[in-house]
Amino acid sequence: MFGFLKRKFRKKIARIEITGAIGASTRTRVLEALEFVEEQKFPALLLRIDSPGGTVGDSQEIYAALKRLREKSKTKVVASFGNISASGGVYIGVGADYIVSNPGTITGSIGVILRGNNIEKLLDKIGVSFKVIKSGTYKDILSFDREITTEERAILQSLIDSSYHQFVETVAEGRKLSPATVRSFADGRVFTGEQALELGLVDRLGTEEDARIWASELAGLDPKNTKVFTIKPPKTFASKFLPSGSEMAFSRLQFEAETSGMPLWMWQ
């Protein structure tokens, strides 16, 4: 029976969507979906990305899983950039064999950002202060009740520089470009898909349908008769109670709360 199921998918293309901010829940879902692709021996994967990016570690784990899938299972992977595929979305995208982007897609934003909140003046107005007992000088770095010091700023900049170097090296490897070439445009700016093609960041301009056709051809399948099997995420508990369309906004607020003070590969 299970052998029959595997044969059933050998003539189909798997499809995985990555939408919204990339965080722990996205990583878990996508890794499970990639495992399914490998187990069922899909010959090709269409990866639809519509994301401004997200957390560093989660983006790295998805990229690594895509790379393993391509090397171990020889599955052909084509990424399709939607409205936006920036920062961590780009990082994941370069894990594909090829990238197809709409001409007007917002992409790029290769860089790292770390944000912290300082509400010291507000706390002073309402008469609230915090007493901190810490084991080391920098244990409360980026605390929201005070400004960061010059030494702390240097430490955080070093962290950002290291993360940025990792980003540049991966894009260079995935797109077969030199690190120097990547650095020439990896200054946080965004591009259209058309500009990204000129820079070598994507391979072709086109729609998701164009990406599907290309994936079919790479896998030796007939594009006219090849069907796509979308691996859908399970319904969340929150979606049962939130009004239609509001789950994405809720997820973004949750993401912002969970990632305060974390380095992000994210546009805006």
Side-chain angles (χ1 to χ4, degrees):
M1 176 180 177
F2 293 108
F4 166 74
L5 286 175
K6 289 182 179 181
R7 289 193 298 273
K8 172 185 175 183
F9 291 122
R10 288 177 185 173
K11 296 295 183 181
K12 293 184 178 181
I13 295 175
R15 179 178 179 273
I16 299 173
E17 284 188 3
I18 298 179
T19 58
I22 299 163
S25 60
T26 302
R27 181 203 70 229
T28 300
R29 175 179 64 81
V30 174
L31 293 187
E32 288 176 353
L34 291 174
E35 186 176 347
F36 180 78
V37 171
E38 181 181 346
E39 289 176 350
Q40 301 306 321
K41 300 187 182 302
F42 282 93
L45 167 64
L46 175 59
L47 188 67
R48 178 67 170 184
I49 304 175
D50 207 330
S51 168
T55 49
V56 173
D58 295 311
S59 299
Q60 287 182 322
E61 289 199 24
I62 295 172
Y63 168 83
L66 282 168
K67 193 174 178 181
R68 284 195 302 269
L69 176 69
R70 290 169 51 205
E71 293 173 350
K72 184 178 179 181
S73 303
K74 306 301 180 183
T75 302
K76 300 299 181 182
V77 181
V78 177
S80 168
F81 285 178
N83 292 312
I84 177 173
S85 183
S87 207
V90 171
Y91 193 98
I92 291 172
V94 301
D97 290 291
Y98 301 103
I99 300 173
V100 178
S101 173
N102 289 293
T105 294
I106 297 299
T107 187
S109 188
I110 298 172
V112 194
I113 185 170
L114 186 151
R115 297 174 298 189
N117 300 315
N118 181 8
I119 58 172
E120 182 180 7
K121 291 182 180 179
L122 174 62
L123 294 174
D124 286 343
K125 284 185 178 181
I126 60 177
V128 176
S129 63
F130 291 86
K131 306 302 178 185
V132 179
I133 310 298
K134 54 187 179 180
S135 59
T137 304
Y138 304 112
K139 186 60 181 174
D140 64 339
I141 197 167
L142 268 188
S143 289
F144 60 83
D145 60 332
R146 65 175 178 82
E147 281 287 349
I148 63 172
T149 66
T150 302
E151 292 79 8
E152 288 172 335
R153 186 177 294 277
I155 289 171
L156 294 175
Q157 187 62 57
S158 176
L159 181 150
I160 293 300
D161 292 344
S162 174
S163 182
Y164 172 75
H165 174 75
Q166 295 169 39
F167 202 153
V168 167
E169 291 294 318
T170 298
V171 172
E173 178 188 355
R175 299 303 305 160
K176 297 179 175 59
L177 300 169
S178 71
T181 298
V182 175
R183 287 193 189 93
S184 70
F185 57 76
D187 54 7
R189 77 182 78 174
V190 291
F191 324 108
T192 64
E194 192 172 53
Q195 292 172 319
L197 179 65
E198 295 175 359
L199 294 169
L201 201 54
V202 304
D203 296 286
R204 293 183 184 177
L205 298 181
T207 64
E208 183 178 356
E209 175 62 10
D210 293 323
R212 183 199 68 81
I213 292 172
W214 197 5
S216 300
E217 293 171 345
L218 291 170
L221 301 173
D222 180 4
K224 292 182 179 179
N225 299 315
T226 301
K227 295 183 179 179
V228 172
F229 182 85
T230 299
I231 305 171
K232 297 181 179 179
K235 288 285 186 179
T236 65
F237 180 76
S239 66
K240 298 177 182 179
F241 303 98
L242 292 172
S244 177
S246 62
E247 187 179 2
M248 184 68 73
F250 176 80
S251 297
R252 182 56 186 260
L253 287 173
Q254 185 180 31
F255 175 85
E256 291 288 345
E258 292 175 349
T259 59
S260 177
M262 290 179 61
L264 299 175
W265 287 340
M266 195 165 185
W267 181 53
Q268 297 185 335

